[in-house]
């Protein structure tokens, strides 16, 4: 009742796309200045949001895209543009201003979606569910989805220990680095979307 190959393949794919180690500096940057208890709650909320989106698209993702007449490349480009706007805020230091971030739940956007549950992860899950024909394959697909979200929660939950070491100055540095990384991810996502549009035309 369990297909190890299917589980391993999807888990590794989602690990690369959702990138638990890479999300750590971005999570620290977006939640900087909040109490540890709030940060822990936001880590859990981000994983729940990402999990909900992934499960939804795993169940009826293709139908949603077809109904809205949205192509996968369009989804990738839109997600990339949203991430680029957030990255620019990180790079310019706008997230240091309390009025812009303290009242905003970044666990929902951009952490939950599109950082964790981005176009790449959504498409991978849609394809994996469609290709899983047997019952054991289906069980393995959903087990892989659950496993990667547990890993994501653990990484973000315990990344808070890093703050105690690097202090406020380190958080500012991490914020700028996260902005650079996020902008690169965003641009690559846009490039991938445009490339798929060109190849499909």
């Amino acid at each position: 009742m369990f297909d190890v190959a299917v589980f391993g393949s999807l888990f590794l794919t989602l690990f690369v796309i959702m990138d638990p180690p890479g999300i750590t500096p971005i999570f620290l940057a977006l939640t900087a200045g909040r109490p540890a208890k709030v940060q822990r709650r936001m880590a859990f909320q981000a994983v729940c949001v990402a999990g909900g989106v992934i499960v939804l698209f795993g169940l009826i993702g293709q139908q949603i895209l077809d109904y809205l007449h949205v192509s996968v490349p369009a989804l990738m480009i839109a997600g990339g543009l949203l991430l680029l706007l957030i990255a620019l805020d990180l790079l310019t230091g706008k997230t240091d201003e309390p009025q812009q971030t303290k009242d905003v739940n970044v666990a929902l956007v951009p952490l939950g979606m599109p950082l964790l549950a981005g176009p790449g992860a959504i498409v991978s899950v849609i394809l994996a569910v469609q290709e899983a024909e047997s019952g054991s394959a289906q069980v393995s697909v959903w087990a892989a989805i659950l496993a990667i979200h547990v890993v994501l929660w653990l990484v973000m939950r315990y990344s808070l220990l890093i703050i105690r070491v690097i202090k406020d100055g380190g958080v500012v540095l991490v914020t700028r680095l996260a902005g650079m990384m996020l902008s690169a991810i965003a641009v690559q996502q846009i490039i991938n979307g445009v490339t798929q549009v060109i190849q499909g035309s």
Side-chain angles (χ1 to χ4, degrees):
M1 289 297 292
F2 192 81
D3 192 322
V4 176
V6 172
F7 174 88
S9 176
L10 181 58
F11 181 84
L12 289 176
T13 299
L14 292 177
F15 189 91
V16 171
I17 294 173
M18 301 176 90
D19 192 15
I23 202 66
T24 301
I26 298 172
F27 172 76
L28 291 175
L30 292 174
T31 61
R34 293 177 171 84
K37 183 178 180 180
V38 174
Q39 289 177 314
R40 287 193 293 270
R41 186 173 71 245
M42 293 177 79
F44 181 73
Q45 289 175 337
V47 170
C48 288
V49 169
V53 171
I54 291 294
V55 168
L56 177 65
F57 276 89
L59 294 173
I60 56 172
Q62 192 59 57
Q63 291 88 332
I64 292 174
L65 296 180
D66 291 343
Y67 177 76
L68 297 174
H69 303 290
V70 173
S71 66
V72 171
L75 187 66
M76 296 177 72
I77 294 171
L81 290 173
L82 177 58
L83 288 181
L84 187 57
L85 291 174
I86 296 160
L88 291 176
D89 279 348
L90 290 175
L91 283 170
T92 56
K94 289 185 178 180
T95 54
D96 295 336
E97 301 176 19
Q99 65 268 27
Q100 290 192 359
T101 60
K102 300 303 180 186
D103 298 327
V104 176
N105 190 351
V106 296
L108 307 181
V109 176
L111 278 174
M113 184 178 182
L115 270 177
L116 297 180
I122 289 172
V123 172
S124 297
V125 168
I126 291 175
L127 294 176
V129 171
Q130 289 176 348
E131 293 171 0
E133 298 177 352
S134 66
S136 60
Q138 284 286 344
V139 170
S140 303
V141 165
W142 293 107
I145 292 171
L146 175 62
I148 191 63
H149 282 84
V150 170
V151 171
L152 285 166
W153 175 75
L154 289 172
V155 168
M156 288 191 291
R157 167 69 174 76
Y158 291 102
S159 67
L160 301 179
L161 298 175
I162 299 174
I163 295 178
R164 300 176 185 173
V165 178
I166 63 177
K167 307 297 181 185
D168 291 341
V171 170
V172 173
L173 176 61
V174 166
T175 300
R176 300 300 182 267
L177 290 174
M180 291 181 61
M181 291 166 54
L182 196 54
S183 61
I185 292 171
V187 171
Q188 186 61 56
Q189 195 161 287
I190 294 171
I191 291 173
N192 292 342
V194 172
T195 301
Q196 289 192 25
V197 170
I198 295 173
Q199 290 175 345
S201 60

